Amino acid sequence: MARMVVRVRGSVKRELRKLRQKTDDKGLATRCQIILLWGEGETWFAIARAVGCSISWVSRVIRRFRDHGVAGLHDRREDNGQTKLDEQYLATLYEIVDKQPPDFGYPRPTWTQELLAKVMESRTNVRVHPGTMSKALKMIGARLGRPKPVVGCPWSNIAKGRRLAAIRRAIDAMGPGEVAVYLDEVDIHLNPKIGPDWMNRGKQKEVVTPGQNAKQYVCGALDVASGCVEYVVGERKNSLLFLSTLDRLLKVYSQATVIHVVLDNFRIHSSKQVQAWMKQHGRRIHLHFLPPYCPDHNKIERKWRDLHANVTRNHRCKTIEELMANVVRWLKDHNKQARRERRKLAA
C-alpha cells in the first residue's frame, strides 16, 4: 500500500487524543487512533495491523476524516432512525425469555435467537436480525445455562404459603432459650459428580471414575443464628441416621429449651421409630415440615451445593474413605469460618 505523508494539525491531534481518552465508544476510539497513526505517516497496512482491522476499513475511516474532519469519525447509525432495542423492546424480551416456545405455539422446547426474533416481531412489530437479538440478550443480562429439574409441589399455592408462613412465625417468635436449624441429608458418591470447569480451547479434561460406586451419607443441621452445620455421617440413609442427628442436637444445644428443626417430608423423618423417639424428646425438639418438593426453602441446601462444588464435583479420590475425609474437613473448615465471622460481628 502506498505510503502517504499527510499533515494533521496539532490542534486536531490534541482533539483526537482527548476524544479517544474520554469516549466510551470503542469504535470511535479506534477510529481516532487510525487518524493519529495516519498523521504520523504510518502506512495503511501498518495501521490495520496495529489496531487489528482490515486495510479497507482504514481507508474508509481516512476518507471520512478527509471529507468531514473529526465529525466524520462519529457513529452515523443514529441517522438510521429510532433505535429498535429500546426499553420497551428489552422489557418484553426479558418476559419472553423466562417462558418457553410452546407458550407461544411453537413445538420446540428451547429458544434460539432466530425464534426469539420471530416471536418478538409478532409481539412488538419490530423486526431484528438474529445477530441483533444476540446483542439484545446481552443487554438484558440473559445467559445460556442449564435448567434446574424440579418436581412441582402438589399443594395449592394457598396451602403452601400458609405452611411457610407458619414456619417463619415460629422462628421469628423464638425466645432467648430457643434455637432454629434447617436439617437435610446429602448423598456422597464415590463416582464423582461431573460439573463445569475451565479448560483450554481444543482440550477436554478427564475425570477418572472408580467404576464401582460406593456411598455414604451426611445428615446435617444448619444453625440459623451461627451458620454452623452440626452433622452425623452414616452408611445408610434411614431413620437411625436422622435420630442420631437429633441426639447430637440435644447434646450440642444442651442449654436450649426448644430446638426448632425445619425439614422436608422424607419418609425417614416420620417413621414409627421417629414417632416413638419424639414421644420421649418432643418437649425439646419441635419438627416443622416444609411443603412437599420445596428444597429452595430449606436453607441447608445451599451449603450442600457449596459442599459439592468444593469437594465432590470432578474429584479424584480413589476410595470412599478418602472422599469422606475431604467432606468432613470441608465441614469443619466451614464451621471455623462461621464462628470467626460471628465473633467479628459481635465485636
Side-chain angles (χ1 to χ4, degrees):
M1 188 61 61
R3 184 183 183 89
M4 295 183 61
V5 179
V6 297
R7 188 175 180 84
V8 179
R9 289 179 302 181
S11 59
V12 176
K13 288 183 179 180
R14 287 192 294 272
E15 182 181 357
L16 289 171
R17 292 191 185 99
K18 187 176 181 180
L19 182 61
R20 180 188 61 183
Q21 181 180 5
K22 291 189 174 182
T23 183
D24 294 329
D25 185 346
K26 293 182 179 179
L28 176 59
T30 302
R31 290 190 287 273
C32 291
Q33 181 66 13
I34 288 174
I35 300 304
L36 288 170
L37 292 173
W38 180 61
E40 297 296 329
E42 296 290 343
T43 64
W44 291 3
F45 177 79
I47 296 172
R49 184 172 58 181
V51 302
C53 67
S54 65
I55 297 177
S56 61
W57 194 59
V58 172
S59 69
R60 287 197 299 272
V61 172
I62 294 175
R63 191 180 309 116
R64 286 168 55 180
F65 178 75
R66 283 173 174 170
D67 294 341
H68 306 287
V70 176
L73 302 181
H74 287 271
D75 196 339
R76 296 180 295 178
R77 287 178 293 180
E78 60 184 1
D79 298 333
N80 295 339
Q82 187 176 2
T83 178
K84 294 181 177 180
L85 304 182
D86 56 16
E87 291 185 5
Q88 183 177 356
Y89 186 91
L90 295 176
T92 304
L93 178 62
Y94 187 88
E95 295 177 358
I96 288 179
V97 168
D98 276 339
K99 301 178 182 178
Q100 290 181 289
D103 296 330
F104 301 93
Y106 295 93
R108 180 184 173 90
T110 58
W111 287 115
T112 64
Q113 293 174 4
E114 292 80 2
L115 187 54
L116 277 171
K118 189 174 182 179
V119 171
M120 284 296 295
E121 182 179 1
S122 66
R123 298 292 294 268
T124 65
N125 293 323
V126 176
R127 186 176 184 180
V128 301
H129 188 272
T132 305
M133 178 55 65
S134 175
K135 179 182 177 181
L137 290 170
K138 290 181 181 179
M139 291 175 69
I140 65 172
R143 64 183 180 86
L144 186 63
R146 183 183 302 174
K148 178 179 67 174
V150 297
V151 179
C153 179
W155 291 8
S156 67
N157 290 334
I158 295 177
K160 177 180 174 182
R162 286 175 179 170
R163 176 62 62 85
L164 294 175
I167 294 174
R168 286 194 297 269
R169 285 195 302 270
I171 294 177
D172 292 340
M174 289 192 307
E178 300 181 33
V179 177
V181 299
Y182 284 81
L183 182 144
D184 191 33
E185 295 81 17
V186 61
D187 299 9
I188 306 299
H189 294 255
L190 182 57
N191 281 338
K193 286 180 171 289
I194 305 300
D197 192 8
W198 292 105
M199 56 192 75
N200 291 317
R201 184 180 295 275
K203 296 182 179 180
Q204 186 175 20
K205 292 182 179 179
E206 294 183 350
V207 178
V208 179
T209 61
Q212 185 173 359
N213 193 25
K215 296 182 185 179
Q216 284 201 16
Y217 306 92
V218 177
C219 183
L222 172 67
D223 188 318
V224 175
S226 69
C228 294
V229 177
E230 301 299 333
Y231 59 91
V232 173
V233 177
E235 296 183 355
R236 293 175 178 269
K237 186 162 65 173
N238 54 21
S239 295
L240 293 179
L241 177 65
F242 172 55
L243 294 178
S244 297
T245 308
L246 296 184
D247 282 330
R248 178 172 178 79
L249 292 177
L250 289 174
K251 294 177 182 178
V252 171
Y253 302 106
S254 58
Q255 303 300 318
T257 56
V258 176
I259 303 173
H260 298 274
V261 181
V262 182
L263 69 170
D264 60 29
N265 289 270
F266 193 32
R267 61 180 181 273
I268 68 172
H269 299 156
S270 56
S271 65
K272 292 182 179 180
Q273 284 180 308
V274 174
Q275 294 174 23
W277 188 92
M278 287 297 296
K279 288 181 180 179
Q280 182 179 359
H281 301 281
R283 184 180 60 84
R284 291 191 60 209
I285 296 280
H286 290 185
L287 302 182
H288 303 274
F289 290 97
L290 290 164
Y293 305 115
C294 293
D296 290 341
H297 293 281
N298 194 338
K299 294 183 179 181
I300 197 173
E301 291 283 357
R302 303 168 195 170
K303 300 301 178 184
W304 294 154
R305 286 195 289 268
D306 291 341
L307 172 65
H308 287 310
N310 286 277
V311 181
T312 67
R313 189 175 298 155
N314 302 343
H315 74 80
R316 297 183 177 181
C317 298
K318 295 182 180 180
T319 64
I320 191 65
E321 290 77 16
E322 180 185 1
L323 178 59
M324 289 305 301
N326 292 340
V327 169
V328 171
R329 185 183 305 113
W330 184 88
L331 289 168
K332 289 182 177 179
D333 290 342
H334 165 77
N335 288 343
K336 289 180 182 178
Q337 180 65 25
R339 294 188 187 99
R340 282 196 295 266
E341 292 179 357
R342 185 169 176 80
R343 284 194 295 267
K344 288 180 180 179
L345 293 175

